[in-house]
């Protein structure tokens, strides 16, 4: 009998056919239990008197065996076959160093034989993949590698790849390989390889699908060949010719980059103009000939015709009678021989005399008329203005030159009389014409100085533009910021006659050359903020060695920018200096610089530049470049830069297309009170950076100005079209604005290349009566063929106090320098835990790279890889970006999405933090 769990002993031998050991015809195979279904193990041997199973070293009870016996006809030996069932419960209850196993033992006359061991395992397949494939964007002909780690299972799962729900057969496509550790490899990406890829894992238990990974194969644009140069745009003289190319070789597809560079090239061309010939003076008359005539000649050499010019018209020689008709030819007087010729010549001479007499009379009449008009205008002028040069209207404007004010007319600011640009001028219609691009804008000094040589261009359709002639000479006369003859700069001193509009550049106003702030920082780090400018400096914890402290300063250049733009390059930010320059930090610090570029569309190439000790500017990096020396993160209104050396930095932009947009802030100011019938509206167009607008606000506050309407953003395109500012909807019968002054135009180059200097445009209105105290009108600021903004002005003039519009919606800080833990939003202990968690590489990719990705840092990750603690540098960048945020929601969401930590930043407890961190967190509502 077989041995049982109760210790029964099997016999060592059982009688059988003599001379043969049992031979196994069928041995038990490895088996898997699926769900709760038992499996059957089978064993067959010959010759065999008995067969029993032994599982995990113990005999299986005889009653659990099912035995069948037969006779082998060929050999006459007895064949025995045995079955047993193994249940899931038996396997689960077994706890041993090996898998659950079973073995057959067969007896014959000569002894026993043992079969192989068959293992029995419970089959399963977990639900979640160890690694899902990740979407990729790859250039055409690039390599695509999609990683897939199937769920854990017994037996191991087989992997199959699907593209757009269709199986992928790597044997039919040599470009695809699916044999390498379950990964999908596409050696050279094709456009047809774009799609959604899914990893399928299956074994005998179940099938599992991974998350789909979207693969986009993009094509970067390439330039076509240049076209031939066009013909010169002018028939003669200096002009230009151009050639073009298109981004179609190939055209960008699936989000590929547009071609870099310009699509149009222009060069100058010069062709010779045709010169028409002109006659020299007549020669002397020749000696009288026998025919009673003498001759004179002339040549077409003054100048001779050149380059296809016309030859001189008329005769090259002339003859006439030299004896007054007394010469006898063929015994007849000469005048009788040619009567028709001489009578015709007399008529022509008489006609010439009449013509010249008429022309002389006309010249005399015009001269008398001009003298009369001049004397009349001088007698009628109240402004001391002499029109000394008046030409016909060409290009939509007429030019005047104002002489020095005559004796008896006081300075413009102290006089009630000022030049009236509209005297005796006519206009053709209400449509504003575009000014030429080479107009100069007038500085404030020239406006207030009556002795300056001012050129005024008056358009024939209500457009006025002012410019300073010989600007270099003008600046030599009066230093910007000085006002000759003791004039007061205050805007409220404008007098009734001062209705002349003007456009100026505020570089002439007396402002500080720089804004500056300082703070002392040590090992704990801190934050240095320039209030109301958008400029800040973050010194990380540990950037300064222990037991050391530095006085760190930061300043903004408010004078003339030292960075001179080259070509199409535009200054987009203030020049920010931080120091001391010889200070060495062990961790990159974060410098935040505001900018005015619209980065929502890829029409800019933005560069970070640094000024050398020699005063020259050199490029540090392009914002889109890969670099390990510094890092630039470009936000819609600011750029956050990670640096390891102090100095002077600025952002410049080079427009790639005409669709590049520069953001301008437009605002209108006025005075709270007015002692005359005049009222001035001052419109500013400044770069959309807080520091640029702060200069305007400070100057207006200093002179009693008041913001009349919330500032608005104007998107100014780089399409060479000018800016137009006009006053609309002035209440009739209450207010008036003179003709030619309701609309003013600023050339494109002055706005586009303003170098952060605000453009100032003033409109002078006049009340009919002093009882008018309310003003309501609209200011329209628009770019021709571009964006437009309307400022609604509603103000009371005589009120001494009225509600003011806040210049800045948010103050940066009352105390510019913050040191220690209070300068950071993330408590130090939480920061240490985040760094310890994410600096360690993770097989599932949930490390500092995913932390960067969840915080919208997707570019130039090689920079962080070079840092000793990549997570700490990422958190520093997060601190710089979110200095105005009130909580840690964005960071908490990022950590929860990654799922590697159970830190709940929105619910910090005292057990998680030390006392200082907890108090700080509680005070800030974290």
């Amino acid at each position: 009998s077989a041995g049982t769990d109760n210790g029964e002993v099997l016999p060592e031998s059982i009688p059988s056919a003599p001379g043969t050991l049992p031979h196994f015809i069928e041995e038990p195979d490895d088996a898997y239990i699926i769900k709760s279904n038992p499996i059957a193990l089978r064993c067959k041997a010959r010759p065999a008197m008995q067969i029993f199973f032994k599982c995990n070293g113990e005999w299986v009870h005889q009653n659990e065996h099912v035995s069948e016996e037969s006779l082998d006809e060929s050999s006459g030996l007895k064949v025995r076959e045995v079955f047993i069932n193994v249940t899931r419960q038996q396997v689960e209850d077994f706890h041993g160093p090996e898998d659950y196993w079973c073995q057959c033992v067969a007896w014959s006359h000569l002894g026993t034989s043992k079969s192989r061991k068959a293992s029995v395992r419970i089959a399963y397949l977990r639900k979640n993949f160890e690694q899902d494939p990740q979407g990729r964007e790859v250039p055409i002909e690039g390599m695509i590698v999609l990683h897939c780690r199937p769920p854990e299972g017994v037996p191991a799962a087989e992997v199959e790849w699907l593209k757009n729900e269709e199986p992928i057969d790597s044997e039919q496509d040599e470009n695809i390989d699916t044999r390498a550790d379950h990964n999908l490899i596409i050696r050279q990406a094709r456009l047809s390889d774009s799609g959604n890829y899914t990893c399928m894992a299956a074994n005998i238990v179940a099938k599992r699908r991974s998350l789909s990974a979207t693969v986009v194969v993009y094509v970067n644009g390439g330039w076509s060949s240049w076209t031939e140069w066009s013909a010169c745009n002018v028939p003669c003289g200096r002009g230009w010719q151009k050639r073009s190319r298109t981004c179609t070789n190939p055209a960008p597809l699936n989000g590929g980059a547009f071609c870099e560079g310009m699509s149009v090239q222009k060069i100058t061309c010069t062709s010779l103009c045709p010169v028409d010939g002109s006659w020299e003076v007549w020669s002397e008359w020749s000696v009288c000939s026998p025919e009673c005539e003498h001759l004179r000649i002339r040549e077409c050499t003054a100048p001779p015709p050149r380059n296809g010019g016309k030859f001189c018209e008329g005769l090259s020689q002339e003859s006439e009678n030299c004896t007054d008709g007394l010469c006898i030819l063929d015994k007849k007087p000469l005048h009788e021989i040619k009567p028709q010729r001489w009578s015709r010549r007399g008529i022509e001479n008489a006609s010439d005399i009449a013509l010249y007499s008429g022309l002389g009379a006309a010249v005399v009449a015009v001269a008398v008329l001009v003298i009369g008009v001049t004397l009349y205008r001088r007698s009628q002028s109240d402004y001391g203005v002499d029109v000394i040069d008046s030409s016909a209207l060409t290009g939509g404007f007429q030019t005047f030159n104002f002489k020095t004010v005559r004796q008896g007319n006081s300075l413009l600011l102290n006089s009630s009389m000022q030049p009236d640009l509209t005297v005796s001028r006519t206009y053709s219609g209400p449509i504003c014409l575009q000014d030429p691009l080479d107009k100069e804008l007038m500085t404030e000094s020239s406006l207030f100085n009556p002795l300056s040589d001012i050129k005024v261009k008056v358009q024939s359709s209500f457009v006025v533009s002012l410019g300073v002639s010989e600007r270099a000479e003008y600046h030599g006369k009066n230093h910007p910021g000085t006002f000759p003859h003791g004039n007061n700069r205050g805007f409220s001193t404008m007098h009734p006659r001062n209705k002349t509009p003007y456009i100026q550049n505020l570089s002439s106003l007396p402002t500080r050359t720089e804004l500056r702030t300082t703070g002392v920082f040590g090992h704990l780090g801190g934050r240095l903020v320039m209030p109301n400018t958008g400029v800040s400096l973050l010194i990380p914890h540990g950037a300064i060695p222990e037991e050391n402290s530095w006085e760190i300063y930061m300043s903004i250049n408010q004078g003339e920018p030292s960075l001179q733009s080259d070509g199409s390059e535009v200054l987009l930010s203030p020049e920010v200096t931080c120091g001391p320059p010889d200070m060495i930090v062990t961790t990159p610090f974060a410098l935040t610089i505001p900018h005015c570029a619209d980065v929502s569309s890829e029409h800019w190439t933005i560069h970070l530049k640094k000024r050398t000790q020699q005063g020259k500017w050199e490029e540090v990096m392009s914002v889109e470049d890969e670099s390990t020396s510094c890092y630039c993160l470009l936000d819609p209104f600011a750029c956050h830069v990670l640096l390891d050396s102090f100095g002077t930095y600025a952002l410049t932009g080079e427009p790639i297309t005409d669709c590049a947009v520069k953001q301008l802030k437009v605002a209108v100011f006025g005075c709270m009170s007015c002692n005359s019938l005049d009222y001035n509206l001052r419109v500013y167009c400044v770069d959309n950076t807080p520091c640029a607008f702060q200069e305007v606000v400070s100057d207006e506050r200093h002179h009693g100005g008041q913001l009349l309407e919330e500032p608005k953003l104007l998107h100014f395109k780089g399409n060479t079209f000018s800016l137009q500012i006009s006053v609309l909807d002035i209440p009739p019968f209450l207010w008036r604005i003179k003709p030619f002054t309701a609309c003013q135009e600023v050339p494109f180059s002055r706005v586009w290349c303003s170098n952060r200097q605000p453009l100032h445009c003033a409109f002078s209105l006049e009340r009919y009566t002093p009882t008018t105290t309310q003003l309501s009108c609209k200011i329209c600021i628009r770019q021709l063929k571009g964006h437009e903004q309307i400022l609604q002005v509603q103000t009371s003039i005589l009120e001494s106090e009225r509600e003011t519009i806040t210049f800045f919606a948010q103050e940066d800080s009352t105390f510019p320098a913050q040191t220690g833990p209070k300068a950071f939003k993330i408590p130090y202990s939480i920061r240490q835990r985040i760094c310890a968690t994410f600096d360690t590489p993770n097989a599932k990719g949930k490390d500092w790279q995913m932390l960067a990705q969840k915080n919208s840092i997707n570019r130039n990750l090689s920079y962080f890889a070079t840092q000793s603690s990549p997570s700490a540098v990422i958190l520093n960048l997060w601190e710089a970006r979110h200095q105005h945020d009130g909580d840690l929601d964005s960071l908490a969401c990022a950590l929860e999405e990654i799922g590697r930590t159970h830190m709940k930043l929105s619910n910090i407890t005292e057990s998680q933090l030390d006392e200082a961190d907890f108090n700080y967190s509680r005070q800030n509502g974290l």
Side-chain angles (χ1 to χ4, degrees):
S1 63
T4 66
D5 294 340
N6 296 326
E8 296 181 6
V9 179
L10 290 171
E12 290 297 328
S13 64
I14 296 177
S16 179
T20 304
L21 283 174
H23 171 69
F24 286 97
I25 302 174
E26 181 178 349
E27 296 184 85
D29 293 324
D30 295 337
Y32 297 94
I33 296 177
I34 301 174
K35 298 183 179 178
S36 298
N37 300 321
I39 56 100
L41 296 181
R42 175 179 300 186
C43 188
K44 183 187 292 187
R46 70 180 178 192
M49 299 299 298
Q50 291 291 342
I51 299 177
F52 290 98
F53 273 92
K54 196 178 201 179
C55 293
N56 302 319
E58 297 182 358
W59 295 104
V60 178
H61 195 278
Q62 176 180 347
N63 296 335
E64 297 178 10
H65 290 74
V66 177
S67 179
E68 295 180 359
E69 185 176 320
S70 62
L71 186 66
D72 188 352
E73 296 180 356
S74 61
S75 62
L77 298 178
K78 187 180 294 185
V79 177
R80 184 173 294 275
E81 185 176 3
V82 177
F83 303 87
I84 66 169
N85 288 329
V86 180
T87 66
R88 182 186 184 98
Q89 187 65 39
Q90 289 176 301
V91 177
E92 289 179 345
D93 291 342
F94 172 71
H95 300 286
E98 300 177 325
D99 291 332
Y100 190 98
W101 60 270
C102 292
Q103 184 182 38
C104 283
V105 180
W107 280 265
S108 69
H109 176 73
L110 293 182
T112 63
S113 296
K114 296 181 180 180
S115 70
R116 63 179 294 274
K117 290 182 179 180
S119 62
V120 180
R121 304 174 67 184
I122 298 175
Y124 68 92
L125 183 62
R126 299 194 184 280
K127 292 184 178 181
N128 297 326
F129 279 72
E130 293 186 3
Q131 182 179 5
D132 287 301
Q134 300 293 323
R136 296 283 306 278
E137 292 184 1
V138 295
I140 193 168
E141 297 185 356
M143 177 178 286
I144 302 175
V145 179
L146 298 181
H147 298 280
C148 176
R149 294 181 184 175
E152 180 184 349
V154 173
E158 297 290 333
V159 170
E160 180 185 22
W161 283 91
L162 304 180
K163 175 190 174 185
N164 298 331
E165 303 303 325
E166 295 292 334
I168 296 176
D169 189 355
S170 60
E171 294 182 358
Q172 295 182 358
D173 191 344
E174 297 180 353
N175 194 38
I176 298 178
D177 185 6
T178 58
R179 296 170 298 178
D181 196 20
H182 308 304
N183 298 328
L184 174 66
I185 300 175
I186 301 177
R187 297 181 178 89
Q188 286 187 325
R190 301 156 296 192
L191 289 176
S192 59
D193 293 325
S194 297
N196 296 321
Y197 289 82
T198 307
C199 183
M200 290 286 296
N203 64 4
I204 60 177
V205 180
K207 288 185 178 182
R208 301 283 186 254
R209 289 173 58 96
S210 70
L211 298 177
S212 293
T214 301
V215 173
V216 177
V217 180
Y218 62 86
V219 179
N220 291 326
W223 289 114
S224 64
S225 300
W226 287 103
T227 61
E228 296 295 330
W229 289 104
S230 65
C232 201
N233 68 318
V234 293
C236 66
R238 185 179 179 84
W240 53 263
Q241 53 186 152
K242 66 178 182 179
R243 64 176 182 175
S244 61
R245 56 180 178 175
T246 58
C247 189
T248 56
N249 186 32
L253 292 175
N254 298 335
F258 196 80
C259 303
E260 296 182 358
M262 304 302 291
S263 61
V264 177
Q265 280 186 345
K266 288 186 177 181
I267 59 174
T268 58
C269 54
T270 304
S271 57
L272 299 176
C273 292
V275 179
D276 294 338
S278 181
W279 292 113
E280 287 280 4
V281 296
W282 288 101
S283 65
E284 296 294 334
W285 288 103
S286 66
V287 179
C288 197
S289 68
E291 289 80 15
C292 303
E293 290 184 341
H294 57 182
L295 302 174
R296 62 176 181 177
I297 62 173
R298 58 180 177 176
E299 295 181 352
C300 188
T301 58
R306 296 193 303 270
N307 308 324
K310 296 180 181 180
F311 195 81
C312 304
E313 294 183 358
L315 299 175
S316 61
Q317 68 178 13
E318 188 178 56
S319 63
E320 67 178 14
N321 185 270
C322 53
T323 61
D324 293 332
L326 300 179
C327 185
I328 300 299
L329 182 61
D330 296 332
K331 300 181 180 181
K332 292 183 180 181
L334 195 61
H335 66 275
E336 295 180 4
I337 298 174
K338 300 177 181 179
Q340 295 181 352
R341 173 183 175 187
W342 296 112
S343 61
R344 184 168 57 252
R345 184 178 300 277
I347 293 173
E348 291 176 356
N349 292 336
S351 299
D352 291 342
I353 294 173
L355 174 62
Y356 293 138
S357 300
L359 289 176
V363 170
V364 173
V366 170
V368 171
L369 181 60
V370 170
I371 295 173
V373 171
T374 303
L375 295 176
Y376 173 76
R377 292 192 60 182
R378 292 196 179 191
S379 64
Q380 296 296 323
S381 175
D382 292 332
Y383 309 107
V385 179
D386 293 335
V387 181
I388 63 174
D389 180 19
S390 177
S391 60
L393 288 175
T394 56
F397 56 84
Q398 192 168 2
T399 301
F400 298 86
N401 285 330
F402 293 107
K403 288 183 177 178
T404 304
V405 178
R406 290 195 296 272
Q407 188 67 26
N409 191 8
S410 59
L411 298 177
L412 295 181
L413 279 182
N414 297 328
S415 171
S416 62
M417 304 295 185
Q418 288 214 8
D420 188 348
L421 300 183
T422 66
V423 174
S424 301
R425 296 293 153 248
T426 61
Y427 52 90
S428 62
I431 300 175
C432 296
L433 303 179
Q434 182 179 354
D435 256 355
L437 293 181
D438 59 351
K439 291 188 299 185
E440 292 287 343
L441 298 181
M442 191 176 96
T443 60
E444 187 182 35
S445 300
S446 64
L447 174 71
F448 293 114
N449 183 6
L451 300 179
S452 301
D453 182 15
I454 302 174
K455 180 184 293 184
V456 184
K457 295 180 178 180
V458 183
Q459 292 191 1
S460 63
S461 53
F462 290 112
V463 179
V464 177
S465 298
L466 305 182
V468 179
S469 63
E470 300 180 359
R471 188 172 182 179
E473 179 182 352
Y474 165 76
H475 283 291
K477 296 176 182 178
N478 292 301
H479 187 276
T482 64
F483 299 91
H485 313 290
N487 290 334
N488 190 341
R489 275 188 66 218
F491 294 113
S492 60
T493 60
M494 294 293 186
H495 291 285
R497 289 282 187 158
N498 184 18
K499 303 180 186 67
T500 304
Y502 60 95
I503 302 170
Q504 64 178 1
N505 190 307
L506 285 186
S507 62
S508 62
L509 302 181
T511 58
R512 292 178 293 175
T513 58
E514 68 175 22
L515 289 173
R516 185 182 178 93
T517 183
T518 61
V520 178
F521 297 89
H523 182 70
L524 297 180
R527 192 190 302 268
L528 191 62
V529 177
M530 192 82 72
N532 298 333
T533 63
V535 178
S536 63
L537 181 67
L538 183 76
I539 306 297
H541 180 97
I544 301 176
E546 294 188 23
E547 300 180 358
N548 286 354
S549 63
W550 286 83
E551 181 180 9
I552 297 177
Y553 64 84
M554 184 170 60
S555 64
I556 301 176
N557 178 22
Q558 287 191 306
E560 186 70 21
S562 60
L563 198 161
Q564 300 300 324
S565 301
D566 296 331
S568 60
E569 198 173 47
V570 180
L571 182 63
L572 298 177
S573 76
E575 297 175 0
V576 179
T577 303
C578 52
D582 56 344
M583 177 180 170
I584 299 176
V585 293
T586 58
T587 302
F589 61 89
L591 178 63
T592 298
I593 305 176
H595 66 82
C596 62
D598 184 0
V599 296
S600 60
S601 57
E602 298 181 356
H603 300 291
W604 286 99
T605 298
I606 298 179
H607 308 277
L608 176 68
K609 292 197 172 184
K610 181 180 181 181
R611 188 171 62 191
T612 63
Q613 294 181 351
Q614 292 76 23
K616 296 182 179 180
W617 287 85
E618 60 182 18
E619 181 176 334
V620 179
M621 69 173 294
S622 175
V623 172
E624 298 298 327
D625 285 349
E626 299 285 332
S627 173
T628 57
S629 60
C630 65
Y631 186 89
C632 290
L633 180 61
L634 195 64
D635 280 346
F637 299 103
C639 184
H640 311 281
V641 189
L642 295 177
L643 300 163
D644 54 10
S645 62
F646 291 94
T648 301
Y649 296 90
L651 294 174
T652 63
E654 186 174 354
I656 302 175
T657 67
D658 290 346
C659 296
V661 172
K662 185 178 179 182
Q663 294 183 344
L664 302 179
K665 181 172 288 186
V666 294
V668 56
F669 288 82
C671 298
M672 291 185 294
S673 61
C674 182
N675 298 325
S676 66
L677 295 179
D678 280 0
Y679 188 77
N680 291 307
L681 294 176
R682 298 177 294 282
V683 182
Y684 292 88
C685 298
V686 301
D687 291 349
N688 184 34
T689 57
C691 48
F693 191 57
Q694 173 71 0
E695 296 180 36
V696 174
V697 170
S698 300
D699 190 76
E700 283 286 340
R701 281 177 174 171
H702 181 70
H703 295 93
Q706 182 178 10
L707 188 64
L708 302 181
E709 169 68 350
E710 190 74 24
K712 294 184 178 181
L713 282 185
L714 181 74
H715 299 287
F716 191 80
K717 288 186 178 181
N719 56 10
T720 70
F721 287 100
S722 57
L723 184 71
Q724 201 174 82
I725 307 172
S726 56
V727 181
L728 307 174
D729 297 346
I730 298 175
F733 309 114
L734 297 177
W735 294 86
R736 68 179 178 184
I737 186 169
K738 280 197 170 186
F740 304 100
T741 64
C743 183
Q744 304 183 29
E745 191 167 325
V746 185
F748 168 82
S749 59
R750 180 65 65 176
V751 182
W752 189 253
C753 304
S754 60
N755 286 338
R756 293 187 55 254
Q757 301 303 319
L759 295 175
H760 174 200
C761 175
F763 296 90
S764 184
L765 283 69
E766 183 179 12
R767 294 177 288 174
Y768 283 97
T769 63
T771 58
T772 302
T773 60
Q774 301 292 327
L775 173 60
S776 175
C777 64
K778 295 179 181 178
I779 305 294
C780 176
I781 303 101
R782 74 183 187 98
Q783 184 184 18
L784 298 180
K785 297 187 180 181
H787 190 215
E788 175 181 319
Q789 284 289 11
I790 300 292
L791 299 177
Q792 182 68 50
V793 176
Q794 289 183 342
T795 182
S796 180
I797 297 173
L798 296 182
E799 292 183 6
S800 58
E801 294 182 1
R802 66 189 296 270
E803 182 181 357
T804 60
I805 298 176
T806 305
F807 290 115
F808 292 94
Q810 176 174 338
E811 296 289 334
D812 285 345
S813 176
T814 306
F815 305 97
Q818 296 178 337
T819 59
K822 64 182 179 180
F824 303 95
K825 294 187 175 297
I826 307 174
Y828 183 63
S829 58
I830 293 293
R831 181 188 182 92
Q832 286 182 311
R833 292 181 59 188
I834 295 175
C835 294
T837 302
F838 290 99
D839 281 344
T840 305
N842 181 266
K844 298 182 180 180
K846 295 182 178 180
D847 50 17
W848 62 267
Q849 297 188 50
M850 186 169 290
L851 178 65
Q853 180 183 359
K854 293 299 181 181
N855 284 279
S856 302
I857 304 173
N858 303 315
R859 183 187 49 78
N860 195 13
L861 296 184
S862 58
Y863 171 82
F864 300 97
T866 61
Q867 305 298 320
S868 58
S869 175
S871 301
V873 180
I874 294 172
L875 295 179
N876 294 338
L877 198 56
W878 184 93
E879 290 273 4
R881 295 181 74 182
H882 298 83
Q883 59 177 309
H884 295 302
D885 292 351
D887 52 36
L888 297 170
D889 285 347
S890 62
L891 183 60
C893 291
L895 295 177
E896 289 174 4
E897 288 181 12
I898 298 173
R900 277 198 67 192
T901 175
H902 297 289
M903 290 184 293
K904 300 295 184 181
L905 300 187
S906 58
N907 188 22
I908 296 176
T909 62
E910 190 166 6
S911 61
Q912 292 174 298
L913 304 174
D914 55 30
E915 183 176 357
D917 280 341
F918 174 74
N919 291 335
Y920 168 72
S921 304
R922 183 172 55 190
Q923 293 170 4
N924 289 273
L926 303 181

